[in-house]
Amino acid sequence: MGSAADDFDETERRRRREADRPSSLVARFGDDQPLRLDGGALLSPWQIAYTTVGKLNADRSNAVLVCHALTGDQYVASPNPVTGKPGWWGLMVGPGRPVDTDRFFVICANVLGGCMGTTGPASTDPATGRPYGVDLPLITIPDMVRAQAALVESLGIDTLFAVVGGSMGGMQVLEWAAAYPERVFAAVPIATGARHSSQNIAFHEVGRQAVMADPDWCRGAYLEAGRSPRKGLAVARMAAHITYMSGQSLHAKFGRNLQDRERVTFGFEADFQIESYLRHQGMSFVDRFDANSYLYVTRAMDYFDLAAPHGGVLAHAFAGTRTRFCVASFTTDWLFPTTESKAVVHALNAAGANVSFVEIASDRGHDAFLLDEPELFATVRGFLTGAARARGIEGPAAPRIAGDAPPTQPAVKAVVQRGGGR
Amino acid sequence: MGSAADDFDETERRRRREADRPSSLVARFGDDQPLRLDGGALLSPWQIAYTTVGKLNADRSNAVLVCHALTGDQYVASPNPVTGKPGWWGLMVGPGRPVDTDRFFVICANVLGGCMGTTGPASTDPATGRPYGVDLPLITIPDMVRAQAALVESLGIDTLFAVVGGSMGGMQVLEWAAAYPERVFAAVPIATGARHSSQNIAFHEVGRQAVMADPDWCRGAYLEAGRSPRKGLAVARMAAHITYMSGQSLHAKFGRNLQDRERVTFGFEADFQIESYLRHQGMSFVDRFDANSYLYVTRAMDYFDLAAPHGGVLAHAFAGTRTRFCVASFTTDWLFPTTESKAVVHALNAAGANVSFVEIASDRGHDAFLLDEPELFATVRGFLTGAARARGIEGPAAPRIAGDAPPTQPAVKAVVQRGGGR
């Protein structure tokens, strides 16, 4: 399985095409506009794939950058061309949604190192005509943000009204606020932290070792070899997936329920629903994601430590900031527990920043940030509405009825798919 | 690596020899004494490898059975013949220790399905002359206990003074108390539960998929093929190892410290100490453990649900019991959190059992049960001393000074190795 090119799933074939020629918008930067990477290399040419929703207003003050998580992409509120699934944050972003595209101009870009059209290991290296593979220089969270900043600048936007994101997206939000304080009016980091913890690095390392142990990884050159480390990447995703859910939600959703059988089989089949579910998550992931991208993007998270370049003092990263912050965490998120958000809040307090913080009660673990969590929506909506007023951004022409799911869009809740966003 | 027999580490070669011809004592049961397995099969012939410490008293009333965890073995208090490391619970079991071998006769047997001399997938199938591999019927926790009961009976012991164990060992303790209440005077289940949770099954499934994804697993027939799924098993162990430690202990021990370097390498080497540590844990594990045994023993834990055969009412499993129980959990154990122990205690209360319970404050997660935890030692020592008095077992001839580390054995703390016990 997965050892010959003709085994590839049609989904995977579509995804491979997206790496160089994305279905979305794309900004290309030539040899005269190299991207400086933290590792020291200059990347050129390079490109960044993105989508936009809503309209940029006359004074270009209403742009909201949404940053995606580990395995997300630019299709925040529009169908993914590979999977055909709806946008990964349709509950949060859209007309009448908390990030209201009747009011804001939303930009969402695939991260550097990703596989959906922004330069990453699956992209063709113009110097060789072959995929970069692991010859692409390593990418960091600041690198991702630097690429986004170039995109935003190319769109003629000086200051973003807001930068919003969860998990790895939240890391980018924090990096944006620290690196470009004058270009971020408001920042909404959700379910995230200012550094990756030892336990989180450990889980990522397990995933990478699973990928690299797969002989079909071919030391990173599987695209040229016409192979795909599907089994290794599926194991990596399975392990990661456990960390996205809480023990409570696993217990509530699956417990010890058996899958399509009355009793255990006394064997190694997926007797339990949780096993069947995890196997499905692993197998469907490999179609839509590039294994080398998985290595790069997990590594970027591992390396992230916002305090490090500031002598280990996180508050210094935000010194003098005038950005207003809204920090949110979830009670059962053990990947980015509330303590990590509180560390950010304490640093912002120490820097004298304008910050509001909410810990939201949810039994859904880290995944909560992608799901239907009314308190999250109310928090983001309220914060952005207040900030928009302060920034002088006009509301939508016809104000909608209050509430998170406007009556014109009742179906969105039902069709939003889990898991595509991180 | 690991794809040819001559690549095998000397440690692995020693371990393979132990599967049929253990260095320890071994009880053999012939075709006239088959072992009935929960899956329906009769296993014969079969054998169980064990060690003993201390002396059985005249009325055979002082026997303590110690049950080992997932990847432990019978070498509870004596050097492991494969690794050369000291016994895995030397802090708990020995002269003057909480399980005092000056007073008690300690028996510890390798579990059924294990790889250190008790019949398991690495054992030679007498019907074919080849290793069983995955043709061995699946093993359950009750099967393991049934095998131990046959051993205990063969030693002429009617009633065990105590059964003691942590993690999977604790599951066996609970099963002993439920299946043979009249043969267990006292029971000490530590850091365990009466069933495996959905999250725990999930982690085990990841580990099994990692093993089975390794082409050197050869569908379970790697021993005959002269191969070894080292990479897959190492990934499985790495993932499991994270669950044995708490986020706090990982942070305290490793944090984001770099391994033998001043700065990150912008690559996929083990930059961080936690990565280096996990890789070491994975690699050293594969030498000392059989991959198929890992599949079997994890599956046994998954299947364990003591309440299930009692209509889902755990208290019924202990109806009428006269065994006295001492249940212990650790505050930061997220694999078997205190809630699981409390469920056992509530069931025991409902059954009117004599039970004491302690939740021990420790930052070491699940691993705490194997480590130097004075409150655990004091608890077990106090409980067993009281129970021994009630049972009329004489104390050691020359009473020792109170304390967990008697002055004659100061070195034991220093040489005990982590990780061998689970």
Side-chain angles (χ1 to χ4, degrees), chain A residues 38-40 134 137-140 143 195-199 201-206 208-210 212-215 217 231-232 235 238-239 242-243 245-247 250-251 254-256 264-272 274-276 278-279 292 295-296 298-299 301-305 334, chain B residues 38-40 134 137-140 143 195-199 201-206 208-210 212-215 217 231-232 235 238-239 242-243 245-247 250-251 254-256 264-272 274-276 278-279 292 295-296 298-299 301-305 334:
Chain A
D38 278 345
V134 291
L138 210 80
I139 304 297
T140 66
D143 292 338
R195 54 157 200 198
H196 219 42
S197 73
S198 195
Q199 190 178 62
I201 296 172
F203 277 114
H204 276 174
E205 172 66 1
V206 167
R208 285 190 296 266
Q209 290 296 318
M212 296 194 281
D214 189 328
W217 180 59
K231 289 183 176 179
V235 168
M238 288 172 68
I242 301 172
T243 70
M245 299 181 73
S246 67
L250 285 167
H251 179 69
F254 305 109
R256 295 180 47 84
V264 294
T265 61
F266 291 96
F268 298 110
E269 289 177 43
D271 280 354
F272 295 100
I274 176 62
E275 296 177 299
S276 175
L278 276 185
R279 290 187 191 183
N292 284 333
L295 303 183
Y296 275 75
T298 54
R299 201 53 165 164
M301 289 183 78
D302 292 355
Y303 275 14
F304 188 59
D305 185 355
W334 56 280
Chain B
D38 278 347
V134 290
L138 210 79
I139 304 297
T140 66
D143 292 339
R195 54 160 200 196
H196 218 42
S197 74
S198 195
Q199 189 178 63
I201 296 172
F203 277 114
H204 276 173
E205 173 66 1
V206 167
R208 285 189 296 265
Q209 290 296 316
M212 296 193 282
D214 189 329
W217 180 59
K231 289 183 176 179
V235 168
M238 288 171 67
I242 301 172
T243 69
M245 298 180 74
S246 68
L250 284 168
H251 180 69
F254 305 110
R256 295 180 48 83
V264 295
T265 61
F266 290 96
F268 298 110
E269 289 177 42
D271 282 355
F272 295 100
I274 177 62
E275 296 177 301
S276 174
L278 276 185
R279 289 187 191 183
N292 284 333
L295 304 182
Y296 275 75
T298 55
R299 201 54 165 164
M301 288 183 79
D302 293 355
Y303 275 14
F304 188 60
D305 185 356
W334 58 280

Side-chain angles (χ1 to χ4, degrees), chain B residues 136-364:
Chain B
L136 185 77
L138 210 79
I139 304 297
T140 66
I141 300 289
D143 292 339
M144 294 175 181
V145 166
R146 216 172 289 120
Q148 291 160 357
L151 167 66
V152 167
E153 199 174 329
S154 77
L155 296 175
I157 296 165
D158 289 333
T159 302
L160 291 164
F161 164 63
V163 187
V164 182
S167 195
M168 188 182 85
M171 288 178 165
Q172 295 162 61
V173 173
L174 294 172
E175 175 64 25
W176 258 102
Y180 305 102
E182 75 290 352
R183 294 172 65 180
V184 182
F185 187 77
V188 187
I190 303 167
T192 192
R195 54 160 200 196
H196 218 42
S197 74
S198 195
Q199 189 178 63
N200 287 359
I201 296 172
F203 277 114
H204 276 173
E205 173 66 1
V206 167
R208 285 189 296 265
Q209 290 296 316
V211 169
M212 296 193 282
D214 189 329
D216 284 328
W217 180 59
C218 306
R219 296 176 182 272
Y222 52 87
L223 290 173
E224 292 162 73
R227 296 165 76 179
S228 180
R230 296 175 66 88
K231 289 183 176 179
L233 185 59
V235 168
R237 180 62 169 183
M238 288 171 67
H241 199 90
I242 301 172
T243 69
Y244 301 146
M245 298 180 74
S246 68
Q248 296 98 306
S249 60
L250 284 168
H251 180 69
K253 189 168 182 174
F254 305 110
R256 295 180 48 83
N257 297 338
L258 300 181
Q259 176 74 24
D260 301 333
R261 60 200 71 187
E262 290 291 315
R263 49 185 60 83
V264 295
T265 61
F266 290 96
F268 298 110
E269 289 177 42
D271 282 355
F272 295 100
Q273 286 179 3
I274 177 62
E275 296 177 301
S276 174
Y277 172 77
L278 276 185
R279 289 187 191 183
H280 172 76
Q281 292 293 332
M283 292 312 293
S284 59
F285 178 64
V286 300
D287 290 335
R288 75 168 181 86
F289 210 77
D290 176 65
N292 284 333
S293 267
Y294 195 77
L295 304 182
Y296 275 75
V297 182
T298 55
R299 201 54 165 164
M301 288 183 79
D302 293 355
Y303 275 14
F304 188 60
D305 185 356
L306 191 52
H310 299 275
V313 182
L314 186 56
H316 292 180
F318 302 115
T321 186
R322 288 188 300 171
T323 302
R324 50 187 72 197
F325 291 81
C326 175
V327 178
S329 70
F330 297 94
T331 48
T332 56
D333 182 350
W334 58 280
L335 195 65
F336 288 97
T338 292
T339 48
E340 298 293 325
S341 283
K342 280 190 173 163
V344 171
V345 171
H346 292 159
L348 288 168
N349 286 336
N354 179 339
V355 54
S356 67
F357 166 62
V358 60
E359 182 187 34
I360 295 166
S362 166
D363 67 354
R364 286 148 144 179

